[in-house]
Amino acid sequence: MAARAQHELLRFLTCGSVDDGKSTLIGRLLYDSQLIFEDTLAAVARDSRKHGTTGEDIDLALLVDGLEAERQQGITIDVAYRFFATPRRSFIVADTPGHEQYTRNMATGASNASLAVILIDARKGVLTQTRRHSYICSLLGIRDIVVAVNKIDLVNFDEATFERIVGDYVTFAAELGFRSIVPIPISARFGDNVTAKSGNTPWYHGPTLLAHLEGVDVSQDLSAKPFRFPVQWVNRPNLDFRGFAGTIASGTVAPGDQVVVAASGKATRVARIVAAEGDLDRAEAGQAVTLTLADEVDVARGDVLARPAERPAVADQFAAHLLWMDEEPMLPGRGYLMRIGNVWTPCSVTSIRHRVDVNTLEQHAARRLALNEIGFCNFSAGQAVPFDPYEENRATGAFILVDRFTNRTAGAGMIAYPLRRASNIHQEHFTIDKASRAALTGNRPIVLWFTGLSGSGKSTIANIVEQALHRAGRATYALDGDNIRHGLCRDLGFTAEDRVENIRRVGEVAKLMVDAGMIVMCSFISPFRAERRMVRDLLGAGEFVEVFVDTPIEDCIARDPKGLYAKAQAGQIKNFTGIDSPYEPPEAPELHIRTAGRAPEDCAAEVLEKLRAAGVRC
Amino acid sequence: MTIASPRSPLTPHLARLEAESIAIIREVAASFRKPVMLYSIGKDSGVMLHLALKAFAPGKPPFPLMHIDTTWKFREMISFRDAMAKQVGMELLVHTNPDGIARGINPIASGSALHTQVMKTEALKQALDKFGFDAAFGGARRDEEKSRAKERVFSFRGPGHSWDPRAQRPELWSLFNTRIRDGESIRVFPLSNWTEYDVWDYILAEDIPVVPLYFAKPRPVVKRSGTWIMVDDDRLPLEPGETPEMRMVRFRTLGCYPLSGAVESTAANLPDIIAEMRAARTSERQGRLIDTDEDASMEKKKREGYF
């Protein structure tokens, strides 16, 4: 074997159910490839007597179960990365947990792996979790699988058992699109067929696990794919140098190559490939380089350079698989932040086409995605972004969704294809615009968004404000739950999903009315920060005035103008805000009106004062 | 500065690690308001600094270096640090915990645990707060220790620099989540996927300068708890009957000198060090006295804000 190939890296992950022996297997690989140092082994021998499950023997799982909490519980709760090398190859193993609630960790490990070792307990055979893990591997783009039938010693090294499990697995996995499935009977605890051939399985003629991992070809040949260069950082150390730093996602590049900026279509040529030790005459996928361009075209972080004849898709709407990883469920219409390549942009799911049951691979209708659920969804992003289908390019087809308030990484997406609907609806440019309409009415178009509990006085205050505006000759309109829910939103209920959609529609209507030059009063409980933020983002700067009508719930219950609290408390109304559905108060509203002990007229005067300050004549 | 041509072309494995680390370092420069690179003078820091220089060539890294000085580092480390900073032309910030000095905290009388807590962990938090850094690079590797194996590349720290293993964000692909709010910060580990072997192979291939303490040389040492401690200055109190003797020793990891155990060795150049390491049967942390109390001690220190 050539010297260069000897140091090729293999990143793989191990997955299986609890107690299938993943940690023991990795401990065995480290132990048998002599990567365990004496002092580490001494510590493990000490710990084996304290936490171990193997009696007097050294518990190899303790070599890899890192965090104190999980060692005491005897389970692995987070992805751990392990390193070992043989003379033929270096390895990085992602040790991922088998627990149902930790699917996200498995996906994390799979996202950077090119092979998966799926453990199956020989006594139990193919389980629901086996199917789940295999599906996630497939979804994340893993094409090469090892089925390690573990604890073969506990079924007396029985060939028939092994064959039955392999048969079950191959049947199940037929639709998952794997390129190779290699089954190996092993005992992680005793080492059979892990690094050395076992005398206990004379009927098995295949390679040991380690021999297979050393020899397997998982190359994706990224350099043969179309050139993609996501610009990560614009390097301008002085006025004479303007370089574009980034990692080549696929393809190759050389000075003189024609390139285009994917989003703008601007074309130029590559001038130099700059590296610390001198210019390069060629660079390929995986290299972190700095390019300079022949012309002064507008290029920024987030742009993708490609060849003119092989461009990525550029779209703001697309269909993608989404794995949800947050405790807070994903609701269509809710705004998230998407990171794709080096671009951050607002993004929401416009519809869930179906949810995938990861155990049966069946497709179901769904209105939300909960933690660890996977759906196939339509997305709408705040700007057109360049991408490739994930199946063609993992680096340019993957994205994450981040919660706008907690900043948690909430979703992992894999793009299937662009949706063309946005590009087919060409926006007509009318000569009369918002400014001219506003000039005619003398209005400063604006949305007053009253949010607060039911019965807090939103509509009452809005009504007084509208009367005052009307008297002053301003063109106004009031949107509230009554006129919206009886028409535009009559198909919606009061679940979290429906509340999100309700506010999305109201937001769009309010936006049209602002465009028409109106002052719009919106009175909606609008309990979630995310949706109020969504409406704010729909409108221009200064056009959204959030008015928090802050009335203690005891006062609302005491007033109860529509008798709704009484019904909710009696259990006759479900999902009632403040009773069995949450209200998230605004963190920084433009106006915070505490109504306790005040007349509605007094509160309305405060709103009018704010409007005058914003330039509304009233 | 310019970077010398490498001695030999990198293996595909090292080239891939290098590219991954450079991308991580650039990502921090592109995404954070005020990053800093923690520079501990050791071999890992040396590799990290070298990668940073490569990442931004022909410019300089757009962040300063910072060293948390416990005042108990080997003298050779300090002179090496100052020479390196001068050579690369980057700003070097040095911070020592003044409260610790006032309280007379030291590794000998106070014990390693208190010394580390006050002079390293607390000092680091002070320095990060003082300068308002929102991202800090560290040279830690996942292969060093078990609780490190689960560390993220972008490790999220809440207010007060707290590290909660359960609040860490999933990291998929290379799509790092760099978003934080005021008072929160990120520790970034560009060498996460490197092993000790990789570090030395890379130092050899790229001709990266390292502190001479890594190379074997006759040095004055005393034997304590089964390991050789170097008498680097006259602050090390000798126990009755203890006399420093000259031994051919070197260090696999460097820290405060009374806490860093030397190994007897004749490896006086890089190829010998690499050969010795490949034959070694003890981990590099064995020489670090701060880890030996309990195996989970690193996790405890991390929760408190240690790197």
Side-chain angles (χ1 to χ4, degrees):
Chain A
M1 185 180 277
R4 290 175 74 81
Q6 285 179 0
H7 291 279
E8 189 196 349
L9 176 72
L10 177 67
R11 293 187 71 141
F12 68 97
L13 81 157
T14 54
C15 31
S17 313
V18 186
D19 297 332
D20 277 351
K22 291 180 306 296
S23 296
T24 307
L25 175 64
I26 295 168
R28 167 64 62 186
L29 283 168
L30 299 179
Y31 182 78
D32 282 4
S33 56
Q34 301 208 317
L35 256 110
I36 306 303
F37 295 119
E38 282 162 6
D39 54 323
T40 311
L41 206 57
V44 167
R46 236 182 7 249
D47 283 1
S48 291
R49 289 189 285 278
K50 204 155 104 194
H51 307 298
T53 57
T54 53
E56 285 302 302
D57 294 344
I58 288 178
D59 186 349
L60 293 175
L62 293 178
L63 284 170
V64 295
D65 287 347
L67 301 181
E68 201 172 12
E70 62 196 271
R71 286 170 57 196
Q72 282 160 8
Q73 294 166 33
I75 52 161
T76 311
I77 56 174
D78 205 349
V79 192
Y81 295 92
R82 308 290 165 194
F83 303 82
F84 68 101
T86 69
R88 291 179 69 189
R89 205 170 211 176
S90 297
F91 300 92
I92 301 179
V93 195
D95 182 11
T96 62
H99 285 59
E100 197 153 334
Q101 64 269 40
Y102 291 110
T103 297
R104 63 179 165 198
N105 290 334
M106 228 214 82
T108 302
S111 73
N112 285 315
S114 44
L115 176 143
V117 175
I118 298 197
L119 276 105
I120 297 179
D121 186 327
R123 297 168 302 173
K124 297 179 187 160
V126 174
L127 297 178
T128 297
Q129 288 95 322
T130 316
R131 297 174 207 274
R132 187 203 329 272
H133 296 152
S134 301
Y135 172 66
I136 294 166
C137 287
S138 162
L139 188 68
L140 271 291
I142 290 177
R143 292 288 163 262
D144 298 287
I145 298 288
V146 172
V147 176
V149 180
N150 191 24
K151 307 193 183 181
I152 197 77
D153 52 303
L154 296 180
V155 295
N156 299 316
F157 303 99
D158 179 39
E159 181 179 12
T161 304
F162 175 72
E163 291 299 338
R164 180 177 50 74
I165 291 170
V166 171
D168 286 352
Y169 187 82
V170 169
T171 307
F172 151 74
E175 57 188 300
L176 294 179
F178 295 133
R179 177 167 66 180
S180 71
I181 298 174
V182 175
I184 305 175
I186 65 164
S187 166
R189 187 170 166 199
F190 298 104
D192 298 80
N193 295 325
V194 177
T195 56
K197 265 215 166 316
S198 169
N200 295 317
T201 53
W203 43 267
Y204 174 71
H205 303 291
T208 64
L209 177 62
L210 186 63
H212 176 67
L213 295 175
E214 283 181 317
V216 64
D217 175 18
V218 291
S219 60
Q220 311 219 341
D221 214 4
L222 285 172
S223 295
K225 294 187 173 178
F227 175 65
R228 299 284 183 261
F229 185 74
V231 175
Q232 190 182 15
W233 159 266
V234 180
N235 192 356
R236 294 211 74 174
N238 56 58
L239 291 174
D240 303 326
F241 187 88
R242 181 175 164 84
F244 303 97
T247 302
I248 302 171
S250 59
T252 62
V253 67
D257 282 357
Q258 290 276 348
V259 290
V260 291
V261 182
S264 69
K266 293 273 190 326
T268 182
R269 276 178 304 103
V270 173
R272 297 167 55 200
I273 306 173
V274 181
E277 54 274 355
D279 282 11
L280 308 178
D281 52 17
R282 183 180 177 277
E284 61 177 34
Q287 282 182 265
V289 294
T290 300
L291 305 181
T292 65
L293 301 175
D295 306 291
E296 283 221 2
V297 293
D298 191 13
V299 181
R301 171 174 162 91
D303 278 325
V304 171
L305 302 181
R307 293 239 202 295
E310 297 175 315
R311 304 183 196 208
V314 178
D316 63 353
Q317 299 204 31
F318 51 85
H321 281 96
L322 179 66
L323 164 65
W324 199 246
M325 304 187 291
D326 201 29
E327 304 282 345
E328 190 72 23
M330 189 287 291
L331 303 178
R334 176 163 283 185
Y336 299 96
L337 285 173
M338 173 175 73
R339 176 175 186 174
I340 176 161
N342 295 321
V343 180
W344 286 95
T345 179
C347 178
S348 63
V349 169
T350 52
S351 64
I352 303 176
R353 298 157 74 117
H354 60 255
R355 179 176 67 79
V356 179
D357 182 323
V358 292
N359 301 324
T360 61
L361 308 193
E362 285 168 1
Q363 301 176 358
H364 299 286
R367 304 199 61 194
R368 58 163 70 189
L369 290 180
L371 176 64
N372 290 320
E373 288 187 336
I374 294 168
F376 188 56
C377 309
N378 288 349
F379 289 81
S380 173
Q383 67 183 85
V385 290
F387 59 82
D388 293 292
Y390 184 77
E391 280 202 348
E392 290 171 23
N393 197 326
R394 280 166 102 173
T396 53
F399 63 91
I400 58 169
L401 292 185
V402 171
D403 185 287
R404 301 186 72 140
F405 294 93
T406 64
N407 283 328
R408 285 194 298 257
T409 304
M414 290 134 285
I415 298 183
Y417 45 80
L419 297 171
R420 299 292 178 195
R421 60 190 73 178
S423 53
N424 289 337
I425 304 169
H426 295 288
Q427 243 177 344
E428 287 293 339
H429 286 283
F430 290 100
T431 318
I432 305 299
D433 61 6
K434 178 161 46 177
S436 26
R437 292 184 199 109
L440 188 68
T441 59
N443 263 358
R444 184 187 176 307
I446 206 163
V447 170
L448 283 170
W449 190 275
F450 297 86
T451 173
L453 296 169
S454 176
S456 59
K458 298 181 296 297
S459 299
T460 309
I461 296 168
N463 188 32
I464 299 169
V465 171
E466 187 176 23
Q467 288 177 46
L469 288 168
H470 190 78
R471 279 196 300 273
R474 303 278 77 85
T476 60
Y477 193 76
L479 294 168
D480 75 10
D482 290 338
N483 61 19
I484 288 293
R485 282 199 175 265
H486 288 145
L488 180 65
C489 297
R490 70 196 300 173
D491 56 322
L492 300 177
F494 291 88
T495 60
E497 294 89 324
D498 282 356
R499 285 181 189 275
V500 171
E501 175 61 14
N502 185 51
I503 298 304
R504 188 191 70 80
R505 291 184 196 175
V506 171
E508 292 287 353
V509 170
K511 183 187 174 188
L512 290 174
M513 289 192 167
V514 164
D515 204 44
M518 313 281 281
I519 296 173
V520 195
M521 260 127 307
C522 299
S523 311
F524 294 89
I525 297 172
S526 48
F528 304 129
R529 284 185 198 118
E531 281 63 62
R532 298 192 299 261
R533 173 67 182 262
M534 174 174 71
V535 179
R536 181 187 292 275
D537 289 348
L538 279 175
L539 295 159
E543 286 179 350
F544 182 84
V545 175
E546 188 172 20
V547 181
F548 178 25
V549 183
D550 187 1
T551 306
I553 188 154
E554 301 75 35
D555 292 7
C556 297
I557 292 171
R559 283 184 208 163
D560 203 7
K562 297 170 192 164
L564 296 174
Y565 283 99
K567 286 186 184 170
Q569 285 174 321
Q572 291 163 4
I573 307 177
K574 293 276 172 231
N575 301 318
F576 197 81
T577 301
I579 303 296
D580 59 346
S581 186
Y583 179 80
E584 300 170 357
E587 283 173 337
E590 275 77 3
L591 206 53
H592 185 162
I593 300 183
R594 292 177 180 83
T595 65
R598 295 172 66 191
E601 291 73 16
D602 187 22
C603 301
E606 207 179 328
V607 179
L608 289 164
E609 191 52 45
K610 184 80 188 172
L611 282 175
R612 285 184 203 104
V616 176
R617 283 180 284 140
C618 56
Chain B
M1 79 172 257
T2 52
I3 292 181
S5 292
R7 282 185 183 179
S8 52
L10 295 177
T11 60
H13 174 55
L14 285 180
R16 182 167 164 170
L17 288 174
E18 179 191 69
E20 180 186 79
S21 301
I22 286 175
I24 292 163
I25 293 168
R26 286 173 174 166
E27 187 64 23
V28 171
S31 305
F32 290 89
R33 190 173 40 79
K34 197 170 179 192
V36 65
M37 180 167 275
L38 271 295
Y39 181 68
S40 74
I41 320 172
K43 62 187 191 308
D44 304 296
S45 278
V47 166
M48 183 164 67
L49 173 58
H50 183 82
L51 291 164
L53 295 171
K54 282 192 144 190
F56 301 100
K60 283 202 177 94
F63 41 76
L65 300 172
M66 184 164 77
H67 178 229
I68 301 303
D69 192 348
T70 63
T71 74
W72 287 87
K73 300 296 172 190
F74 291 92
R75 285 172 298 163
E76 272 185 280
M77 289 174 74
I78 300 301
S79 54
F80 181 87
R81 174 195 75 188
D82 296 340
M84 276 308 286
K86 200 170 168 196
Q87 190 193 331
V88 301
M90 286 169 72
E91 185 188 0
L92 170 71
L93 307 168
V94 177
H95 180 79
T96 301
N97 183 352
D99 310 336
I101 298 291
R103 286 165 61 193
I105 301 292
N106 73 70
I108 299 155
S110 319
S112 69
L114 184 63
H115 171 73
T116 300
Q117 169 69 25
V118 174
M119 299 308 285
K120 290 175 86 170
T121 309
E122 292 303 326
L124 174 62
K125 291 199 254 184
Q126 279 172 357
L128 293 175
D129 289 341
K130 175 175 153 195
F131 295 102
F133 294 122
D134 55 351
F137 292 102
R141 310 186 317 266
R142 283 175 176 155
D143 81 322
E144 281 178 69
E145 201 269 341
K146 273 186 287 189
S147 78
R148 294 255 198 237
K150 313 208 166 187
E151 182 59 285
R152 304 299 193 270
V153 177
F154 283 69
S155 175
F156 175 77
R157 305 298 160 111
H161 309 281
S162 56
W163 179 74
D164 176 359
R166 289 184 186 263
Q168 293 304 307
R169 300 160 172 180
E171 278 182 345
L172 292 100
W173 304 289
S174 309
L175 297 176
F176 300 111
N177 179 354
T178 50
R179 304 197 83 88
I180 52 169
R181 293 188 284 196
D182 284 350
E184 298 170 343
S185 63
I186 300 272
R187 305 271 173 96
V188 186
F189 303 107
L191 306 185
S192 286
N193 287 327
W194 296 58
T195 65
E196 189 187 8
Y197 295 150
D198 298 328
V199 166
W200 282 115
D201 285 346
Y202 188 73
I203 287 170
L204 178 65
E206 295 278 301
D207 202 6
I208 299 171
V210 291
V211 185
L213 292 161
Y214 286 114
F215 302 112
K217 193 179 119 172
R219 294 186 169 95
V221 289
V222 291
K223 188 126 201 173
R224 290 192 182 165
S225 317
T227 187
W228 292 109
I229 298 297
M230 181 169 155
V231 186
D232 195 46
D233 58 36
D234 55 16
R235 290 183 296 173
L236 188 75
L238 296 176
E239 279 155 29
E242 208 175 42
T243 4
E245 52 183 306
M246 293 304 278
R247 287 266 173 176
M248 191 76 172
V249 294
R250 66 178 204 87
F251 294 85
R252 282 179 75 183
T253 59
L254 295 174
C256 296
Y257 83 81
L259 300 177
S260 300
V263 291
E264 290 197 74
S265 168
T266 54
N269 55 51
L270 285 172
D272 286 355
I273 285 177
I274 291 170
E276 187 183 275
M277 178 184 52
R278 293 210 183 271
R281 294 300 300 146
T282 54
S283 73
E284 64 185 317
R285 284 207 165 261
Q286 199 217 8
R288 285 209 184 175
L289 299 183
I290 56 171
D291 284 342
T292 48
D293 310 342
E294 269 175 88
D295 216 26
S297 61
M298 181 63 82
E299 185 185 344
K300 287 213 182 85
K301 287 199 292 287
K302 284 185 65 162
R303 282 177 186 274
E304 290 158 4
Y306 183 73
F307 247 84

